Amino acid sequence: MFRLTQTVRNLFLRFQGLFGVLFQSISDFVRNIFGFFAKLFGFTSSGYFLESDQVQSIKQASAKEPIETNQDNTPKIPATNRRRPNAKLDDYYLNMARDVKKN
């Protein structure tokens, strides 16, 4: 029975690989066709659906005032500890491991 299930699994894997290769080539072909028409009609440009800035009344913040940034010169100290807070539990397991190693 084991050989039968292995044969069926291998058969399905081979079908999956075959259909993966076939459908990949078909999907690439369709993607190329739609990509050609998208380039032809100008859908690949990022701003084809946006109106101008004046119509939307968008104001540019960078043109008015530059943003000031303040640098923090205080040294950063990491808040990590070398040992975990449950050191007693760690010692228990370390001692158990030493006892097992001795025996």
Side-chain angles (χ1 to χ4, degrees):
M1 193 60 151
F2 178 71
R3 289 181 184 256
L4 180 63
T5 57
Q6 185 179 9
T7 305
V8 171
R9 285 181 186 169
N10 287 339
L11 181 68
F12 282 128
L13 287 174
R14 291 176 191 266
F15 279 138
Q16 181 183 4
L18 176 68
F19 288 134
V21 169
L22 290 177
F23 288 132
Q24 180 69 32
S25 62
I26 291 171
S27 68
D28 287 342
F29 176 71
V30 171
R31 186 180 304 127
N32 288 336
I33 289 174
F34 281 116
F36 170 74
F37 285 112
K39 288 179 185 176
L40 183 67
F41 293 117
F43 291 129
T44 56
S45 62
S46 62
Y48 71 92
F49 57 89
L50 295 177
E51 297 176 359
S52 66
D53 289 345
Q54 294 173 352
V55 173
Q56 294 179 356
S57 68
I58 296 175
K59 298 178 182 177
Q60 297 289 337
S62 61
K64 291 182 179 179
E65 298 176 7
I67 299 172
E68 296 179 10
T69 56
N70 295 331
Q71 293 182 352
D72 189 14
N73 293 333
T74 59
K76 305 279 185 194
I77 299 172
T80 58
N81 295 332
R82 290 188 62 126
R83 289 191 69 161
R84 292 182 283 201
N86 54 356
K88 291 182 182 179
L89 186 64
D90 290 341
D91 290 338
Y92 171 75
Y93 288 117
L94 287 173
N95 290 334
M96 186 188 311
R98 286 187 193 115
D99 292 341
V100 170
K101 189 176 181 181
K102 287 180 184 177
N103 293 334

